[in-house]
Amino acid sequence: MAKCGVCYRQCEIPEDGRGFCGVRGCINGTIRPLNYGKITSIALDPIEKKPLSMYMPGSLILSVGSYGCNLRCPFCQNYDISWSDYAYKLEDDARFMSPEELAGMARMYKNQGNIGVAFTYNEPLIGYEYVRDTARLVHDRSMKNVLVTNGMASLDVLKELIPHIDAMNIDLKSFTDYFYDELILGNRKMVMNFIKEAVKHCHVELTTLIIPRENDTVREMELLSSWIASLEDVYGGKSGKDIPLHISRFFPRFNMTDREPTSVDLVYKLADVARKELTNVFTGNC
């Protein structure tokens, strides 16, 4: 048995077992990412889809995903590769790509406008070793690395990755412990600590999906945006007020089909609330 230190769960994993995320396993008493190099999704995407609106806009980026996640969002749009019960079915069919192969593919697409690699689709931090190893090689080829993450990982994981990451989009899914603890089985404090440190080291944009009757009040947006604005030592000599926030519209999906899509008017209203604290607020799915 060995303990995994990636997120707050600190899973005690028995020999040949797996942690909550479904991909970190114990082999010969050592924790290893069982999804290392196993790719389920790959596409050349506009960088705005990550979403990143203020980092190299107009660029394309080779976006890759594996499987597994350390959250259980009932509204997940990629549940088939993120929720362990579904992701296991893809394990044997996933395509193995070594870090060298993926970095080489990124370089091959450079003449089509590709700027590098985005680690996205599922949660990349549960397989951070592959991100680290690949991102080093992408940098060696003078290209960029982007991380799209839920931010629920330890600062030790961030410390290993940050020298190799140029930009991140991090979900700040809510500003209540209930939302994290009960709805998505996460830990808000860990995510906030991750964001607080990440903004010091690279370009960071944040995303909040507005879900009716869950995180859609003016008061919560006031608290969330005020906290972002209070962040210090932001990369590039900026302030917390300059950190971009994407406020996105929810649509019923997966295990959350018991409510209507978020009102467009409400998304715009909450964006105006956030703009009282933040300079760069964007709306999505509207």
Side-chain angles (χ1 to χ4, degrees):
M1 180 173 288
K3 179 184 287 188
C4 176
V6 166
C7 76
Y8 81 99
R9 287 192 175 85
Q10 299 287 298
C11 292
E12 295 275 1
I13 305 175
E15 187 68 24
D16 296 325
R18 299 174 187 239
F20 179 90
C21 66
V23 303
R24 298 194 71 77
C26 181
I27 300 176
N28 297 325
T30 301
I31 300 297
R32 297 182 183 176
L34 303 180
N35 67 341
Y36 188 98
K38 294 182 179 180
I39 304 301
T40 62
S41 307
I42 188 164
L44 192 61
D45 285 338
I47 200 163
E48 288 81 3
K49 282 186 66 176
K50 300 306 101 188
L52 289 171
S53 291
M54 300 188 68
Y55 183 78
M56 303 186 73
S59 301
L60 298 176
I61 192 160
L62 187 64
S63 302
V64 296
S66 184
Y67 57 87
C69 186
N70 56 359
L71 291 179
R72 290 295 180 270
C73 301
F75 46 84
C76 181
Q77 65 179 351
N78 292 324
Y79 67 89
D80 54 338
I81 62 171
S82 295
W83 276 50
S84 299
D85 291 347
Y86 298 88
Y88 285 148
K89 300 175 183 178
L90 299 174
E91 192 166 53
D92 293 336
D93 295 330
R95 173 186 177 185
F96 178 79
M97 295 185 70
S98 69
E100 293 81 5
E101 184 180 0
L102 181 53
M105 180 178 288
R107 180 66 180 83
M108 181 179 69
Y109 284 110
K110 190 172 184 178
N111 63 355
Q112 295 186 30
N114 181 40
I115 63 167
V117 173
F119 302 91
T120 181
Y121 300 139
N122 74 310
E123 176 47 55
L125 292 179
I126 59 174
Y128 75 90
E129 296 93 341
Y130 182 72
V131 176
R132 176 198 63 204
D133 296 347
T134 305
R136 285 173 176 164
L137 297 177
V138 172
H139 270 179
D140 287 346
R141 290 160 173 78
S142 300
M143 302 186 79
K144 305 296 185 183
N145 293 298
V146 166
L147 187 67
V148 181
T149 176
N150 63 33
M152 202 177 73
S154 72
L155 296 185
D156 288 338
V157 169
L158 178 61
K159 185 177 180 179
E160 279 209 47
L161 290 180
I162 205 64
H164 317 293
I165 301 298
D166 300 288
M168 296 188 195
N169 184 287
I170 307 171
D171 285 337
L172 182 54
K173 294 178 183 287
S174 171
F175 213 66
T176 67
D177 289 328
Y178 166 79
F179 189 103
Y180 271 93
D181 296 346
E182 303 296 330
L183 186 64
I184 65 174
L185 308 183
N187 185 277
R188 180 169 67 106
K189 183 178 180 181
M190 173 166 270
V191 174
M192 290 169 66
N193 287 339
F194 188 95
I195 292 170
K196 186 176 181 179
E197 186 63 24
V199 299
K200 300 176 182 178
H201 301 284
C202 71
H203 178 86
V204 171
E205 303 189 18
L206 305 176
T207 295
T208 301
L209 178 71
I210 303 300
I211 302 174
R213 305 191 298 279
E214 299 293 349
N215 63 346
D216 61 347
T217 67
V218 167
R219 182 56 179 160
E220 184 168 343
M221 183 54 66
E222 288 174 342
L223 293 171
L224 184 148
S225 56
S226 178
W227 178 77
I228 296 171
S230 74
L231 295 175
E232 299 176 346
D233 302 322
V234 177
Y235 178 76
K238 298 181 179 180
S239 72
K241 291 181 177 294
D242 299 314
I243 296 171
L245 173 64
H246 299 260
I247 299 176
S248 294
R249 186 184 183 206
F250 161 87
F251 289 95
R253 67 182 71 231
F254 188 36
N255 288 335
M256 188 173 277
T257 58
D258 61 339
R259 62 204 69 197
E260 66 285 354
T262 316
S263 161
V264 172
D265 288 343
L266 177 60
V267 172
Y268 290 154
K269 178 180 178 180
L270 294 180
D272 286 339
V273 170
R275 289 186 183 107
K276 295 177 182 178
E277 296 284 352
L278 304 173
T279 306
N280 305 299
V281 179
F282 303 91
T283 56
N285 297 335
C286 292

